[in-house]
Amino acid sequence: MSATGRNDAAALAALLRDLADRRAIEDALIAYAHALDTRDYPRLRECLAADVRVRYGGSSWLEGVEPVAQFCARALDSLDASQHRIGSVAVKLERSRAASVSYLCAEHLKDGRRFTVGGRYVDQWTRTLAGWRIAQRELVILWTDGDPRVLAGPERP
Amino acid sequence: MSATGRNDAAALAALLRDLADRRAIEDALIAYAHALDTRDYPRLRECLAADVRVRYGGSSWLEGVEPVAQFCARALDSLDASQHRIGSVAVKLERSRAASVSYLCAEHLKDGRRFTVGGRYVDQWTRTLAGWRIAQRELVILWTDGDPRVLAGPERP
Amino acid sequence: MSATGRNDAAALAALLRDLADRRAIEDALIAYAHALDTRDYPRLRECLAADVRVRYGGSSWLEGVEPVAQFCARALDSLDASQHRIGSVAVKLERSRAASVSYLCAEHLKDGRRFTVGGRYVDQWTRTLAGWRIAQRELVILWTDGDPRVLAGPERP
């Protein structure tokens, strides 16, 4: 193989790894959303780094995998159904770190009532031996619609 | 080329084919949705395997390309417009078969009224010489909004 | 490397470049939408070809980067927030040109009121030394919901 051919091959391999990494991060965003909607908390935990920090809509930071999983379970387990639609994903890679911004439109259903949350996930990622994990997640809520009592847990008024 | 180089090249080729197959399945999901909304039933048929089985929202199974295309035409042809937004696509590949789960938010418009259906497409795929085709599709409806009479065909009350 | 190996490698390289180009166009669609929602007009301009033509919902054509950016600024700057969700992207490549169809669901928020626009972006792209740029954009509006006065600028009744 000529030097030119080797350089081309190296550039193509780098391009392929970039595409594959960005696809893997988008896959993890989607896996997280599907896990929420199927109440698959083991799968949810697999999307999170051990030292993950998460903040939803200006609340205080949750620290660690269990607090995040428990927060999600408390919010979702009393619903009849939910649908977390994720899209418009932008990813920036930097070696074993990444940042993404994605759009969320989340439906929450209970007793025939619906509450919709539109927002922006601003995420930091870390690459582990088992794949990309969310290291930090902030949900910026842009708008809501419907009946907010749908999301109120039993402990809330 | 060294044995290591050959192994690397083989791994990269496999990674590329995986990305391309998953992108092809996502493309077919989108082509199907665009075909519904432009009433392009020839294009819709191209997305389906000859022995396709489809079930919408717990109704009975439709078997074969023509029954599926005719069902779609009956549901959509009387509308003023529709928009089948597809997203959050998760694909699992296994040789010449694949499975996907994707989210649907479908708008149906008629006479200034709107009916929205949110759901989950659970699909099985088969690879043919002409590309990936839907072998089985189930639409699990998660929520609806608006006026359901928009979708009622002329034969329905 | 054998002739067969070279042919395989060339086919894989072509497949990779196709995937990367289509991903780059989807990235630009998303960057444009995020730029609208963060009022980042320098970033918006970077998505547009110098001789871009844009038409929103049957209005007259805007010609050139500045008229498009100014139109967007006039429409959006008075809002409290917006969310342009892009998805269901279909891309056709042809050398240094491309065409795409994508779905839009755009929320516009002001003073607690919301106006939603659902539509189809029909875009033509040109490849420049700096990447893919929108050469022509047409937004076909399929449906709206909510209070249209949210989008009315100060100069409109």
Side-chain angles (χ1 to χ4, degrees), chain B residues 3-33:
Chain B
T4 305
R6 265 199 301 276
N7 288 346
D8 283 359
L12 288 173
L15 176 60
L16 174 55
R17 289 198 180 95
D18 177 84
L19 283 177
D21 276 330
R22 296 201 291 150
R23 181 68 237 187
I25 284 170
E26 192 163 344
D27 285 344
L29 285 166
I30 291 167
Y32 182 97

mmCIF file of all heavy atoms in Angstrom, chain B residues 3-33:
data_model
loop_
_atom_site.group_PDB
_atom_site.id
_atom_site.type_symbol
_atom_site.label_atom_id
_atom_site.label_comp_id
_atom_site.label_asym_id
_atom_site.label_seq_id
_atom_site.Cartn_x
_atom_site.Cartn_y
_atom_site.Cartn_z
ATOM 1 N N ALA B 3 -1.053 -8.772 9.074
ATOM 2 C CA ALA B 3 -2.253 -9.449 9.599
ATOM 3 C C ALA B 3 -3.041 -8.502 10.494
ATOM 4 O O ALA B 3 -4.266 -8.464 10.468
ATOM 5 C CB ALA B 3 -1.845 -10.695 10.376
ATOM 6 N N THR B 4 -2.318 -7.696 11.280
ATOM 7 C CA THR B 4 -3.005 -6.714 12.131
ATOM 8 C C THR B 4 -3.799 -5.733 11.275
ATOM 9 O O THR B 4 -4.967 -5.447 11.549
ATOM 10 C CB THR B 4 -1.980 -5.934 12.979
ATOM 11 O OG1 THR B 4 -1.195 -6.862 13.711
ATOM 12 C CG2 THR B 4 -2.691 -4.982 13.927
ATOM 13 N N GLY B 5 -3.172 -5.216 10.233
ATOM 14 C CA GLY B 5 -3.866 -4.288 9.337
ATOM 15 C C GLY B 5 -5.101 -4.920 8.730
ATOM 16 O O GLY B 5 -6.156 -4.283 8.647
ATOM 17 N N ARG B 6 -4.984 -6.201 8.329
ATOM 18 C CA ARG B 6 -6.149 -6.882 7.751
ATOM 19 C C ARG B 6 -7.255 -7.014 8.779
ATOM 20 O O ARG B 6 -8.416 -6.817 8.463
ATOM 21 C CB ARG B 6 -5.743 -8.267 7.228
ATOM 22 C CG ARG B 6 -5.397 -8.281 5.754
ATOM 23 C CD ARG B 6 -5.455 -9.679 5.168
ATOM 24 N NE ARG B 6 -4.540 -10.602 5.826
ATOM 25 C CZ ARG B 6 -3.238 -10.733 5.517
ATOM 26 N NH1 ARG B 6 -2.708 -9.988 4.566
ATOM 27 N NH2 ARG B 6 -2.484 -11.581 6.159
ATOM 28 N N ASN B 7 -6.901 -7.359 10.031
ATOM 29 C CA ASN B 7 -7.925 -7.493 11.072
ATOM 30 C C ASN B 7 -8.597 -6.154 11.342
ATOM 31 O O ASN B 7 -9.816 -6.069 11.469
ATOM 32 C CB ASN B 7 -7.298 -8.026 12.369
ATOM 33 C CG ASN B 7 -6.934 -9.496 12.236
ATOM 34 O OD1 ASN B 7 -7.391 -10.160 11.293
ATOM 35 N ND2 ASN B 7 -6.113 -9.978 13.141
ATOM 36 N N ASP B 8 -7.779 -5.093 11.437
ATOM 37 C CA ASP B 8 -8.341 -3.759 11.625
ATOM 38 C C ASP B 8 -9.300 -3.432 10.488
ATOM 39 O O ASP B 8 -10.404 -2.939 10.709
ATOM 40 C CB ASP B 8 -7.224 -2.710 11.636
ATOM 41 C CG ASP B 8 -6.483 -2.704 12.962
ATOM 42 O OD1 ASP B 8 -6.854 -3.489 13.844
ATOM 43 O OD2 ASP B 8 -5.533 -1.925 13.083
ATOM 44 N N ALA B 9 -8.836 -3.687 9.266
ATOM 45 C CA ALA B 9 -9.665 -3.342 8.110
ATOM 46 C C ALA B 9 -10.966 -4.127 8.134
ATOM 47 O O ALA B 9 -12.034 -3.587 7.831
ATOM 48 C CB ALA B 9 -8.896 -3.616 6.812
ATOM 49 N N ALA B 10 -10.899 -5.393 8.536
ATOM 50 C CA ALA B 10 -12.116 -6.209 8.596
ATOM 51 C C ALA B 10 -13.064 -5.682 9.662
ATOM 52 O O ALA B 10 -14.278 -5.622 9.464
ATOM 53 C CB ALA B 10 -11.757 -7.671 8.868
ATOM 54 N N ALA B 11 -12.498 -5.278 10.810
ATOM 55 C CA ALA B 11 -13.346 -4.743 11.880
ATOM 56 C C ALA B 11 -14.003 -3.437 11.454
ATOM 57 O O ALA B 11 -15.189 -3.202 11.715
ATOM 58 C CB ALA B 11 -12.507 -4.530 13.153
ATOM 59 N N LEU B 12 -13.232 -2.581 10.775
ATOM 60 C CA LEU B 12 -13.798 -1.320 10.314
ATOM 61 C C LEU B 12 -14.872 -1.565 9.254
ATOM 62 O O LEU B 12 -15.911 -0.891 9.250
ATOM 63 C CB LEU B 12 -12.694 -0.415 9.753
ATOM 64 C CG LEU B 12 -11.753 0.195 10.794
ATOM 65 C CD1 LEU B 12 -10.601 0.936 10.105
ATOM 66 C CD2 LEU B 12 -12.509 1.144 11.716
ATOM 67 N N ALA B 13 -14.634 -2.530 8.367
ATOM 68 C CA ALA B 13 -15.638 -2.833 7.341
ATOM 69 C C ALA B 13 -16.923 -3.343 7.986
ATOM 70 O O ALA B 13 -18.032 -2.978 7.577
ATOM 71 C CB ALA B 13 -15.084 -3.862 6.350
ATOM 72 N N ALA B 14 -16.776 -4.155 9.021
ATOM 73 C CA ALA B 14 -17.966 -4.666 9.720
ATOM 74 C C ALA B 14 -18.713 -3.538 10.420
ATOM 75 O O ALA B 14 -19.951 -3.469 10.392
ATOM 76 C CB ALA B 14 -17.557 -5.741 10.725
ATOM 77 N N LEU B 15 -17.959 -2.633 11.040
ATOM 78 C CA LEU B 15 -18.572 -1.478 11.704
ATOM 79 C C LEU B 15 -19.327 -0.614 10.693
ATOM 80 O O LEU B 15 -20.455 -0.161 10.936
ATOM 81 C CB LEU B 15 -17.482 -0.652 12.402
ATOM 82 C CG LEU B 15 -17.907 0.648 13.081
ATOM 83 C CD1 LEU B 15 -18.941 0.387 14.164
ATOM 84 C CD2 LEU B 15 -16.689 1.370 13.670
ATOM 85 N N LEU B 16 -18.710 -0.408 9.533
ATOM 86 C CA LEU B 16 -19.336 0.411 8.491
ATOM 87 C C LEU B 16 -20.620 -0.243 7.984
ATOM 88 O O LEU B 16 -21.649 0.421 7.813
ATOM 89 C CB LEU B 16 -18.340 0.623 7.340
ATOM 90 C CG LEU B 16 -18.873 1.329 6.102
ATOM 91 C CD1 LEU B 16 -19.482 2.677 6.455
ATOM 92 C CD2 LEU B 16 -17.737 1.507 5.090
ATOM 93 N N ARG B 17 -20.559 -1.560 7.784
ATOM 94 C CA ARG B 17 -21.774 -2.233 7.279
ATOM 95 C C ARG B 17 -22.892 -2.187 8.312
ATOM 96 O O ARG B 17 -24.068 -2.063 7.968
ATOM 97 C CB ARG B 17 -21.451 -3.685 6.899
ATOM 98 C CG ARG B 17 -20.596 -3.764 5.650
ATOM 99 C CD ARG B 17 -20.622 -5.143 4.995
ATOM 100 N NE ARG B 17 -19.783 -5.142 3.792
ATOM 101 C CZ ARG B 17 -18.515 -5.533 3.761
ATOM 102 N NH1 ARG B 17 -17.935 -6.001 4.846
ATOM 103 N NH2 ARG B 17 -17.837 -5.478 2.634
ATOM 104 N N ASP B 18 -22.520 -2.275 9.579
ATOM 105 C CA ASP B 18 -23.514 -2.160 10.651
ATOM 106 C C ASP B 18 -24.175 -0.774 10.624
ATOM 107 O O ASP B 18 -25.400 -0.654 10.661
ATOM 108 C CB ASP B 18 -22.817 -2.405 12.006
ATOM 109 C CG ASP B 18 -23.759 -2.237 13.178
ATOM 110 O OD1 ASP B 18 -24.475 -3.201 13.513
ATOM 111 O OD2 ASP B 18 -23.803 -1.130 13.748
ATOM 112 N N LEU B 19 -23.366 0.274 10.543
ATOM 113 C CA LEU B 19 -23.919 1.630 10.486
ATOM 114 C C LEU B 19 -24.801 1.803 9.259
ATOM 115 O O LEU B 19 -25.880 2.403 9.336
ATOM 116 C CB LEU B 19 -22.785 2.664 10.422
ATOM 117 C CG LEU B 19 -22.047 2.983 11.717
ATOM 118 C CD1 LEU B 19 -20.920 3.974 11.430
ATOM 119 C CD2 LEU B 19 -22.999 3.571 12.749
ATOM 120 N N ALA B 20 -24.344 1.277 8.123
ATOM 121 C CA ALA B 20 -25.100 1.446 6.878
ATOM 122 C C ALA B 20 -26.422 0.689 6.938
ATOM 123 O O ALA B 20 -27.459 1.192 6.485
ATOM 124 C CB ALA B 20 -24.267 0.976 5.689
ATOM 125 N N ASP B 21 -26.413 -0.504 7.521
ATOM 126 C CA ASP B 21 -27.665 -1.267 7.629
ATOM 127 C C ASP B 21 -28.653 -0.551 8.546
ATOM 128 O O ASP B 21 -29.849 -0.476 8.249
ATOM 129 C CB ASP B 21 -27.387 -2.680 8.174
ATOM 130 C CG ASP B 21 -26.964 -3.639 7.079
ATOM 131 O OD1 ASP B 21 -27.397 -3.461 5.924
ATOM 132 O OD2 ASP B 21 -26.197 -4.568 7.384
ATOM 133 N N ARG B 22 -28.166 -0.053 9.655
ATOM 134 C CA ARG B 22 -29.083 0.625 10.570
ATOM 135 C C ARG B 22 -29.614 1.915 9.950
ATOM 136 O O ARG B 22 -30.785 2.243 10.104
ATOM 137 C CB ARG B 22 -28.386 0.870 11.906
ATOM 138 C CG ARG B 22 -28.035 -0.480 12.573
ATOM 139 C CD ARG B 22 -27.828 -0.376 14.055
ATOM 140 N NE ARG B 22 -26.633 0.344 14.370
ATOM 141 C CZ ARG B 22 -26.474 1.074 15.479
ATOM 142 N NH1 ARG B 22 -27.461 1.160 16.344
ATOM 143 N NH2 ARG B 22 -25.346 1.681 15.712
ATOM 144 N N ARG B 23 -28.758 2.615 9.216
ATOM 145 C CA ARG B 23 -29.222 3.820 8.525
ATOM 146 C C ARG B 23 -30.253 3.445 7.448
ATOM 147 O O ARG B 23 -31.243 4.151 7.264
ATOM 148 C CB ARG B 23 -28.035 4.536 7.899
ATOM 149 C CG ARG B 23 -28.352 5.820 7.158
ATOM 150 C CD ARG B 23 -28.798 6.923 8.097
ATOM 151 N NE ARG B 23 -30.108 7.420 7.732
ATOM 152 C CZ ARG B 23 -30.699 8.470 8.296
ATOM 153 N NH1 ARG B 23 -30.117 9.135 9.263
ATOM 154 N NH2 ARG B 23 -31.882 8.845 7.926
ATOM 155 N N ALA B 24 -30.052 2.324 6.771
ATOM 156 C CA ALA B 24 -30.992 1.913 5.719
ATOM 157 C C ALA B 24 -32.362 1.597 6.317
ATOM 158 O O ALA B 24 -33.401 1.899 5.721
ATOM 159 C CB ALA B 24 -30.432 0.702 4.964
ATOM 160 N N ILE B 25 -32.367 0.998 7.498
ATOM 161 C CA ILE B 25 -33.643 0.695 8.152
ATOM 162 C C ILE B 25 -34.321 1.984 8.607
ATOM 163 O O ILE B 25 -35.536 2.156 8.433
ATOM 164 C CB ILE B 25 -33.405 -0.301 9.307
ATOM 165 C CG1 ILE B 25 -33.176 -1.690 8.719
ATOM 166 C CG2 ILE B 25 -34.578 -0.300 10.291
ATOM 167 C CD1 ILE B 25 -32.703 -2.724 9.708
ATOM 168 N N GLU B 26 -33.549 2.918 9.142
ATOM 169 C CA GLU B 26 -34.142 4.201 9.521
ATOM 170 C C GLU B 26 -34.672 4.928 8.279
ATOM 171 O O GLU B 26 -35.758 5.510 8.301
ATOM 172 C CB GLU B 26 -33.100 5.047 10.272
ATOM 173 C CG GLU B 26 -33.721 6.248 10.946
ATOM 174 C CD GLU B 26 -32.804 6.863 12.014
ATOM 175 O OE1 GLU B 26 -31.837 6.212 12.443
ATOM 176 O OE2 GLU B 26 -33.083 8.012 12.406
ATOM 177 N N ASP B 27 -33.921 4.857 7.183
ATOM 178 C CA ASP B 27 -34.395 5.460 5.934
ATOM 179 C C ASP B 27 -35.720 4.856 5.494
ATOM 180 O O ASP B 27 -36.609 5.567 5.012
ATOM 181 C CB ASP B 27 -33.367 5.242 4.817
ATOM 182 C CG ASP B 27 -32.142 6.140 4.957
ATOM 183 O OD1 ASP B 27 -32.197 7.122 5.712
ATOM 184 O OD2 ASP B 27 -31.133 5.830 4.297
ATOM 185 N N ALA B 28 -35.867 3.544 5.629
ATOM 186 C CA ALA B 28 -37.103 2.886 5.201
ATOM 187 C C ALA B 28 -38.267 3.284 6.101
ATOM 188 O O ALA B 28 -39.401 3.470 5.631
ATOM 189 C CB ALA B 28 -36.910 1.370 5.181
ATOM 190 N N LEU B 29 -38.003 3.429 7.406
ATOM 191 C CA LEU B 29 -39.052 3.910 8.315
ATOM 192 C C LEU B 29 -39.538 5.291 7.879
ATOM 193 O O LEU B 29 -40.743 5.582 7.894
ATOM 194 C CB LEU B 29 -38.512 4.009 9.751
ATOM 195 C CG LEU B 29 -38.334 2.700 10.509
ATOM 196 C CD1 LEU B 29 -37.475 2.925 11.751
ATOM 197 C CD2 LEU B 29 -39.701 2.137 10.917
ATOM 198 N N ILE B 30 -38.605 6.139 7.500
ATOM 199 C CA ILE B 30 -38.942 7.507 7.100
ATOM 200 C C ILE B 30 -39.627 7.509 5.740
ATOM 201 O O ILE B 30 -40.612 8.219 5.522
ATOM 202 C CB ILE B 30 -37.666 8.375 7.117
ATOM 203 C CG1 ILE B 30 -37.203 8.563 8.566
ATOM 204 C CG2 ILE B 30 -37.891 9.709 6.425
ATOM 205 C CD1 ILE B 30 -35.805 9.122 8.704
ATOM 206 N N ALA B 31 -39.139 6.678 4.820
ATOM 207 C CA ALA B 31 -39.764 6.598 3.496
ATOM 208 C C ALA B 31 -41.218 6.155 3.618
ATOM 209 O O ALA B 31 -42.105 6.680 2.928
ATOM 210 C CB ALA B 31 -38.977 5.630 2.607
ATOM 211 N N TYR B 32 -41.468 5.203 4.477
ATOM 212 C CA TYR B 32 -42.840 4.730 4.718
ATOM 213 C C TYR B 32 -43.717 5.876 5.207
ATOM 214 O O TYR B 32 -44.828 6.088 4.713
ATOM 215 C CB TYR B 32 -42.784 3.612 5.754
ATOM 216 C CG TYR B 32 -44.096 2.953 6.111
ATOM 217 C CD1 TYR B 32 -44.483 1.758 5.512
ATOM 218 C CD2 TYR B 32 -44.927 3.503 7.072
ATOM 219 C CE1 TYR B 32 -45.673 1.142 5.856
ATOM 220 C CE2 TYR B 32 -46.122 2.896 7.429
ATOM 221 C CZ TYR B 32 -46.491 1.711 6.818
ATOM 222 O OH TYR B 32 -47.675 1.111 7.167
ATOM 223 N N ALA B 33 -43.199 6.661 6.171
ATOM 224 C CA ALA B 33 -44.001 7.758 6.728
ATOM 225 C C ALA B 33 -44.257 8.838 5.680
ATOM 226 O O ALA B 33 -45.380 9.344 5.553
ATOM 227 C CB ALA B 33 -43.282 8.347 7.949
#
